[in-house]
Amino acid sequence: MILDLSDLKEVGSQKNYVKEIEVSKIDYRHKEIKLKGPIKVNLDVLKTERSFVLKGDLECTLVLQCSRCLKYFDYMIEVEISDELNIEDIEDLHNINIFPHLVSDIILEIPIKPLHDENCKGLCPICGQNLNEGDCDCEVENIDPRLEKLKEFKQK
Ligand SMILES: [Zn+2]
Ligand SMILES: [Zn+2]
C-alpha cells in the first residue's frame, strides 16, 4: 500500500484512505500463509510537526492450519493500526510503502498454536486417525505420573 503524503503540508492536516489490497499470501516464520480475499484497510493519516500519525483498522481472513489435526481453516483478523512515521526517515513523500507495517500488524495477531476449534481432538499419535471424525482402536496408554516415576527408578 503506497501513500502519497506530499499534500499534507500543514500541521494538523489529515487524509483518509479506504483501500482493499489484493494479496494472496504473506510470509510468516519462513512459511507462507494464504489469504482469502483482500486486506481491507481504513486509515487516517495526521500530519504533526515531525511525523505522520497513522490510525485506523484492517481486516483480513487468513487460511491457517490447525496445530492439532492439521486441517486448514479460515481465521478472521481485525487489528487496529497505530503507527507513526518520522518525516526525517521518509525518502519520498509521494511514495511511502506502508505494506510491511500492515503485514507485521497482521502477524502479531496470528496465534502460535492455531486451533480450528478449541475442542479439536487432534490426531491419534499412533495411527494418525483424525479423532474429530471418529475413534480408532489404538490403546492409548494413560500412565499415572507417579507410576511413571517408579518405572524410571526401576530402570536405573
Ligand atoms: Zn483441528
Ligand atoms: Zn489410533
Side-chain angles (χ1 to χ4, degrees), residues 124 126-129 136-138:
C124 168
I126 299 166
C127 72
Q129 158 79 18
C136 58
D137 297 324
C138 300

Side-chain angles (χ1 to χ4, degrees), residues 95-120:
N95 192 356
I96 305 164
N97 184 9
I98 61 156
F99 187 65
H101 292 262
L102 302 181
V103 171
S104 50
D105 284 343
I106 292 172
I107 282 175
L108 285 176
E109 295 297 307
I110 299 177
I112 295 173
K113 287 194 180 295
L115 292 177
H116 89 276
D117 180 306
E118 55 180 283
N119 296 317
C120 174

Side-chain angles (χ1 to χ4, degrees), residues 32-127:
E32 280 181 347
I33 291 190
K34 288 207 173 84
L35 279 100
K36 214 175 222 184
I39 302 174
K40 294 178 189 164
V41 183
N42 190 340
L43 185 68
D44 288 315
V45 183
L46 170 74
K47 167 100 162 59
T48 71
E49 212 161 307
R50 290 156 175 268
S51 69
F52 293 106
V53 175
L54 312 180
K55 283 222 179 303
D57 50 68
L58 75 77
E59 199 185 290
C60 65
T61 301
L62 305 179
V63 182
L64 298 184
Q65 190 175 26
C66 177
S67 61
R68 284 191 200 149
C69 73
L70 308 180
K71 163 182 159 164
Y72 286 94
F73 65 102
D74 293 351
Y75 187 83
M76 225 255 273
I77 281 181
E78 286 176 299
V79 210
E80 273 184 35
I81 303 168
S82 179
D83 226 320
E84 193 164 5
L85 308 173
N86 283 324
I87 293 175
E88 277 182 3
D89 301 336
I90 298 173
E91 280 176 26
D92 180 0
L93 283 178
H94 295 272
N95 192 356
I96 305 164
N97 184 9
I98 61 156
F99 187 65
H101 292 262
L102 302 181
V103 171
S104 50
D105 284 343
I106 292 172
I107 282 175
L108 285 176
E109 295 297 307
I110 299 177
I112 295 173
K113 287 194 180 295
L115 292 177
H116 89 276
D117 180 306
E118 55 180 283
N119 296 317
C120 174
K121 294 179 183 153
L123 305 178
C124 168
I126 299 166
C127 72

